[in-house]
Amino acid sequence: MKDITLMEQSHQNPILIVTEHGRMVTANPIFTQRFAITIQELKGQLIEVSNFPYLIGKLHCLTILSVLCIVKVNKENGHYRLTIFLKADEISLPVLKQFLSLLQEKEQYTPKTHTANYEFAHIIGESQKLLEVKELAARIAVSSSTVLITGESGTGKELFAQAIHHASPRRKGPFIAVNCAAIPSELFESEVFGYEEGAFSGAKKTGKPGKIELAQNGTLFLDEISELPKAAQGKLLRVLQEREVERLGSIGKKRVDIRIIAATNRDLFELVSAGEFRQDLYYRLFVFDLPIPPLRDRKEDILPLVHYFLDKYNQQLNKNVNQIHPHLLKCLMEHEWPGNIRELKAVVERGVTLSLGEELGDNAMVKRIATQTSQTQCLPSNNTSKTLEEIVKETEKKAIVEALEKSDGDKTMAAVKLNIHLASLYRKMAKYQIKT
Ligand SMILES: Nc1ncnc2c1ncn2[C@@H]1O[C@H](COP(=O)(O)OP(=O)(O)OP(=O)(O)O)[C@@H](O)[C@H]1O
Ligand SMILES: [Mg+2]
């Protein structure tokens, strides 16, 4: 217990200690009680920590199924200390782990690194469909044109964005990622466009460059572009047209030389029809369209990906899992993969973590998924094997469908029932493709 000080032993919040590489080391008694796990059991379990250096010292919140989860990341003696503030008692360790990985992704607007880590060679897959997309992306990369990457969640849109930057003449310049869904709309303009000193109360004395300026001579990656607030859409359009940026409170403009790559998992065209997304901006972004097919449409990629992730987790966990149980294999091939490659990666990670021998599937957990999934089209019914984002989305969709049913399709009434604005209901209906 050397990593938990006496004070923390009696601390009222769950605390978890993780190594720099994401391996759990120990936890305080509140943690082990809350998550019903022994130190022995949690030791060595992995969580993603690549983004933790940028999360240190602050509180990070996410709402999951209307439960507010808050975590504080600190660094001490070369380890991360995570203090967890939870209102719900029933949240399980797998859910917490998913929360932490979601947090990693949602916080990406905090500059992770100013470089892109992935190249085309890191995009695994041998299917004709994927090879075609890679080839198209490589051809697009050499220009400075705007690219719109579309595809379901977890298909690898961010990976492609990084690879395009890497293969472009701007590769030595910065790669700045902005997650449009993660920045509160009231902060969006100051974050992206920057501000001059005294632009608003609370503004830094010296002013601050926005992400657009930071991406000078490089690539600006606008992730989840569909979530861009309306006011910011107009401003972004101006930047794209005039190649100039104006900080909040500024009287002058600065020339910018950036390439824009945007990504979305929603149908932007539908949002344009619904009046949620500016048509002029849509056409500006739509210079090159790069659709990434879902994994179920390129099943030839499943096995190469499984082996790639096996190598990765074998290395990380110091294991030697090199075979796949035939039943699990069948299941992997039949599964529909709603969470795409992200889901597959999580399944392999879980399998390797739990495996005692050299075979993936040689343990109760994976077997349970396998039997469950072979009966139900390989769709795990257990919530904990989905990402939180998926759980939230499913729950939201279900609530909307129910409200619409109860209101006999009257959208105004359904919006009142759901306590959301009518426009927001339309947006969500488009997002989930709910028709009345
Ligand atoms: N072809 C691939 N080869 C290797 N890893 C991949 C591949 N495609 C995706 N991944 C991995 O799967 C995970 C999800 O990919 P990514 O974050 O790029 O998805 P996304 O399309 O941006 O999803 P979202 O819409 O949810 O943001 C990442 O960990 C990524 O490294
Ligand atoms: Mg993404």
Side-chain angles (χ1 to χ4, degrees), residues 11-74:
H11 198 288
Q12 56 178 341
N13 292 307
I15 293 175
L16 177 66
I17 306 289
V18 187
T19 68
E20 253 189 324
H21 304 291
R23 256 178 227 253
M24 297 186 184
V25 178
T26 185
N28 69 351
I30 302 286
F31 187 100
T32 53
Q33 276 160 29
R34 266 280 176 87
F35 294 97
I37 189 166
T38 64
I39 301 284
Q40 222 58 25
E41 286 166 342
L42 69 76
K43 231 180 208 149
Q45 286 203 37
L46 264 186
I47 56 170
E48 260 186 74
V49 292
S50 51
N51 212 16
F52 276 0
Y54 303 95
L55 305 179
I56 288 172
K58 285 180 257 161
L59 288 175
H60 303 277
C61 333
L62 269 184
T63 310
I64 306 153
L65 301 171
S66 51
V67 174
L68 184 65
C69 282
I70 302 177
V71 68
K72 186 170 183 181
V73 183
N74 287 94

Side-chain angles (χ1 to χ4, degrees), residues 48 105 108 118 122-125 130 151-160 179 221 223-224 263-265 292 298 301 305 308-309 339-343 345 389 393:
E48 260 186 74
E105 296 184 4
Q108 270 169 12
Y118 287 94
H122 296 123
I123 301 179
I124 308 302
L130 185 76
E152 289 177 14
S153 185
T155 46
K157 295 185 292 297
E158 175 145 14
L159 215 57
F160 268 94
N179 187 329
F221 176 50
D223 204 2
E224 305 205 41
T264 181
N265 52 26
I292 318 285
R298 44 179 169 113
D301 291 344
L305 281 164
Y308 172 75
F309 292 131
N340 292 293
I341 292 99
R342 183 179 293 115
E343 184 186 358
K345 190 176 170 185
E389 209 174 351
K393 281 181 180 168

Side-chain angles (χ1 to χ4, degrees), residues 344-362:
L344 177 67
K345 190 176 170 185
V347 165
V348 176
E349 180 186 357
R350 189 164 46 225
V352 174
T353 308
L354 295 172
S355 152
L356 300 171
E358 297 198 344
E359 190 180 70
L360 192 66
D362 188 23

Side-chain angles (χ1 to χ4, degrees), residues 367-420:
K367 266 191 189 133
R368 187 170 58 80
I369 298 173
T371 27
Q372 228 176 36
T373 52
S374 68
Q375 283 159 3
T376 59
Q377 257 298 349
C378 285
L379 258 180
S381 64
N382 187 343
N383 270 351
T384 54
S385 53
K386 294 178 187 167
T387 68
L388 276 173
E389 209 174 351
E390 284 157 16
I391 299 169
V392 172
K393 281 181 180 168
E394 271 175 24
T395 312
E396 192 173 59
K397 182 173 175 182
K398 199 164 150 244
I400 293 169
V401 169
E402 277 173 17
L404 282 166
E405 275 169 11
K406 284 191 185 137
S407 318
D408 287 328
D410 182 329
K411 297 187 191 71
T412 311
M413 205 195 298
V416 171
K417 276 197 202 312
L418 292 163
N419 197 17
I420 57 175

